[in-house]
Amino acid sequence: MDIAALKRDLDGLKIEDNEKIVQQKSRDFYWYSPVLKRQLDTVSGDLIVSPKNEAEVVRVLAACHRHGVPVTPRGTGTGNYGQAMPLSGGVVLSLADMNEVTSISPGRVVCGPGAIIADIDKATRAHSGQELRLHPSTYNTASIGGFIAGGSGGVGSINFGGLRDFGNVLRLRVVTMEAEPRVLDLTGEDLHKVTHAYGTNGIITEVEMPLTASYDWVDVIVGFDSFMGAARYGNALGCQDGLLTKLITPIAAPVPQNYFKRHQRFFRPGQSICLVMVAPHSLDAFLAFTRREGGEVVFNTAAMTDEEKKGLPPAFELAWNHTTLRALRVDPSITYLQSLYPFPNQLALVEEMDAMFPGEVFSHLEFVRFDGNITCFGLPLVKFTTEERLEEIIRLFQDNGCPIFNPHRYTLEEGGMKQTDQVQLAFKREADPHGLLNPGKMIAWENPEYDYRSGRTYLFKGLEKVG
């Protein structure tokens, strides 16, 4: 790669080539995984380029195509498994400066890919009392483009499912990686060519997302004597059609006591919990339901003064992968898995897996709508010993009917479990014929012998059926 010649072609754009800064901007939260930490610790790009608009993106991609330089897009780097890390070096394309919220209307918002999710909600709430349907636990730092390209769901998935589901992304504007890059507007089924594709199939330059009514959500923590008590409660709460919640997160003791430092005083020893975000108008009915189900309300922001709430993180920053982050801050030997407990046997599967690894795997569930049913994902904490033992735990989950979306892999098919197929590959050949976009992340592109018809459960479905 002739980086010097590329820099000359990009004269006038915002470029960073300081080695330490480039390495810093070449990283995400891959270190959640001890496996990826070993594999990716030395990964770095050669150059950071920060376009301010779509025209500059087109210019960057044309120049990189001309010089054969790989391009890896990046939002704010809050992903967990190397999605935005440049395995082949080259340009890290930072989209953070493309952060304008350009249009807000009933039920929808249009913005740049670099817009921070919390900033989008701030704008839509002020404009019309609306908010995004879904957001990750990295709400205050994650960009919307990064969420779409690297995420799957999060807070709000109990109502709306995940980014895989029709209607949760309305439109994406995407630039191809060709000698003369094209700008495509994708809607409907075409969106699935680029959602959760890590930027392997085009660079997102504009996003249109659906909105829903916003609320001053109330954080409640409900305590139980057993983890299965918390899990059954979470499942029953998710099935209450009249109660509006945004987060239902059962977590097994001793995780809250050991790792939720600012909330520790609210928990009894040995108490498992369920984190809940509930709309204010549902609060009284929610509390009545909780009493009926035998839960103990140990924390309720609606009953606290501003002084009492001072310094306490919101409930969503204890949930999803913030649970793992808080554990890692206390115990660096902790890592995690991502699993699905398929409907309708989710509670039986949860109970079976919770009992299988005492003192080694600590249960953490996130209740969601999945294919129209209430079920749960697992983000269990794992006390890491060896890579061999980690693989054995993964195998035992899968052998017992709980698919693993492996956070210790950096490829689409293994980690995010996107089912690449002929439609996906055809679009990759069309949009990136030289394979310069985020190389190394799509097995089906790198290895023509890869069998994507394995029958495994994929979080992001393939496109052949709709194609």
Side-chain angles (χ1 to χ4, degrees), residues 3 6-7 10 12-27 43-51 56 60 64 69-75 84-86 89-97:
I3 298 298
L6 175 64
K7 286 168 67 175
L10 298 179
L13 299 186
K14 184 178 174 182
I15 291 174
E16 178 60 69
D17 59 3
N18 179 284
E19 190 175 322
K20 289 186 178 179
I21 296 175
V22 171
Q23 184 175 53
Q24 177 193 346
K25 295 288 187 182
S26 298
R27 296 177 171 226
V43 167
S44 180
D46 295 282
L47 203 61
I48 309 292
V49 183
S50 301
E56 291 189 356
V60 173
C64 288
V69 175
V71 174
T72 301
R74 172 191 170 88
M85 296 183 66
V91 165
V92 175
L93 189 70
S94 172
L95 299 165
D97 291 343

Side-chain angles (χ1 to χ4, degrees), residues 23-36:
Q23 184 175 53
Q24 177 193 346
K25 295 288 187 182
S26 298
R27 296 177 171 226
D28 61 12
F29 284 74
Y30 71 101
W31 47 265
Y32 275 36
S33 164
V35 179
L36 295 186

Side-chain angles (χ1 to χ4, degrees), residues 87-132:
L87 301 184
S88 300
V91 165
V92 175
L93 189 70
S94 172
L95 299 165
D97 291 343
M98 296 176 61
N99 58 6
E100 185 179 0
V101 177
T102 54
S103 170
I104 302 169
S105 55
R108 61 183 69 205
V109 61
V110 179
C111 56
I116 301 299
I117 292 172
D119 293 339
I120 299 172
D121 270 0
K122 184 177 180 181
T124 57
R125 286 186 183 120
H127 179 275
S128 51
Q130 301 182 94
E131 66 185 22
L132 292 165

Side-chain angles (χ1 to χ4, degrees), residues 222-235 249-256 270-275 341 346-347 349-355 361-367 376-380:
V222 184
F224 294 88
D225 291 334
S226 70
F227 172 70
M228 284 310 301
R232 292 187 185 98
Y233 167 82
N235 192 83
T249 306
I251 300 174
V255 172
Q271 189 174 51
S272 293
I273 64 169
C274 186
L275 304 167
Y341 298 95
Q346 65 269 24
L347 289 177
L349 290 168
V350 165
E351 187 164 22
E352 182 179 0
M353 301 315 297
D354 180 63
V361 178
F362 305 96
S363 293
H364 162 202
L365 306 177
E366 297 290 348
F367 277 91
C376 50
F377 286 115
L379 286 90

Side-chain angles (χ1 to χ4, degrees), residues 48 65 244 318 320 368:
I48 309 292
H65 185 275
L244 181 55
L318 302 175
W320 291 90
V368 301

Side-chain angles (χ1 to χ4, degrees), residues 173-205:
R173 198 165 164 90
V174 175
V175 179
T176 64
M177 180 56 146
E178 301 173 90
E180 295 184 8
R182 292 169 294 146
V183 180
L184 310 175
D185 268 315
L186 303 181
T187 60
E189 61 202 32
D190 287 337
L191 290 166
H192 299 303
K193 296 172 179 176
V194 294
T195 55
H196 204 79
Y198 301 179
T200 57
N201 282 343
I203 302 299
I204 298 170
T205 57

